[in-house]
């Protein structure tokens, strides 16, 4: 079993698990983990709160997260993440759509998506390529774990065309 001591909690997910990392009363990171990771009880109140909200999202795709996030990323990444956070459940936008909105380039938007520290809370799975699913979590392996997670999340939110 992989070493999981860096996480404040590991929450079971339909596709594997989600690692929760907290420090200084802030959510520091969420990480998609393959099924080989076993659940880990929350180590602190914020990890417990995050775990509860993640479980609520899996039960109710319209659930909105309310967690204190650490300030991370460049100004540009933060602008991209803010734009991503405004995409409603059940909808997707392309890297190009966001690039036009932010007066940037699709590749730069894709890189910011891949650098997202808070997947689910900042729903980067809602950003796709113009001609298909696109990458996810800095992975473009069509049969890989991360794109499977992206497909599951989109289907969970009612977007079926990428199954």
């Amino acid at each position: 079993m992989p070493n999981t001591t860096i996480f404040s909690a590991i929450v079971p997910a339909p596709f594997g698990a989600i690692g929760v990392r907290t420090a200084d009363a802030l959510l520091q990171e969420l990480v998609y983990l393959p099924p080989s990771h076993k659940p880990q009880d929350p180590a602190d109140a914020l990890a417990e709160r995050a775990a509860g909200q993640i479980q609520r999202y899996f039960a109710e795709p319209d659930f909105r997260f309310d967690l204190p996030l650490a300030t991370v990323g460049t100004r540009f990444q933060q602008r991209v993440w803010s734009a991503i956070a405004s995409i409603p459940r059940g909808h997707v936008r392309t890297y190009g759509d966001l690039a036009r909105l932010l007066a940037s380039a699709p590749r730069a938007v894709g890189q910011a998506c891949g650098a997202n520290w808070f997947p689910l809370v900042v729903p980067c799975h809602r950003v796709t390529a113009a001609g298909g699913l696109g990458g996810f979590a800095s992975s473009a392996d069509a049969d890989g774990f991360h794109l499977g997670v992206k497909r599951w999340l989109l289907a969970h939110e009612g977007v079926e065309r990428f199954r």
Side-chain angles (χ1 to χ4, degrees), residues 109-128:
V109 169
Q111 289 171 338
C113 287
N116 178 8
W117 289 77
F118 310 109
L120 289 185
V121 176
V122 176
C124 54
H125 58 275
R126 296 177 187 163
V127 183
T128 64

Side-chain angles (χ1 to χ4, degrees), residues 35-114:
S36 59
H37 286 79
K38 303 296 181 217
Q40 178 180 311
D41 290 337
D44 57 55
L46 179 56
E48 185 171 352
R49 182 173 157 200
Q53 289 191 20
I54 291 166
Q55 291 169 335
R56 289 254 334 257
Y57 167 78
F58 289 138
E60 307 166 34
D62 283 322
F63 178 77
R64 292 191 177 266
F65 289 90
D66 178 26
L67 298 166
L69 306 179
T71 302
V72 294
T74 66
R75 284 186 193 168
F76 175 74
Q77 288 171 334
Q78 291 170 4
R79 288 179 55 225
V80 171
W81 299 335
S82 178
I84 291 169
S86 72
I87 302 170
R89 187 216 35 95
H91 294 82
V92 296
R93 300 289 182 267
T94 66
Y95 301 106
D97 291 339
L98 293 180
R100 283 186 290 284
L101 177 71
L102 299 169
S104 183
R107 185 175 305 256
V109 169
Q111 289 171 338
C113 287

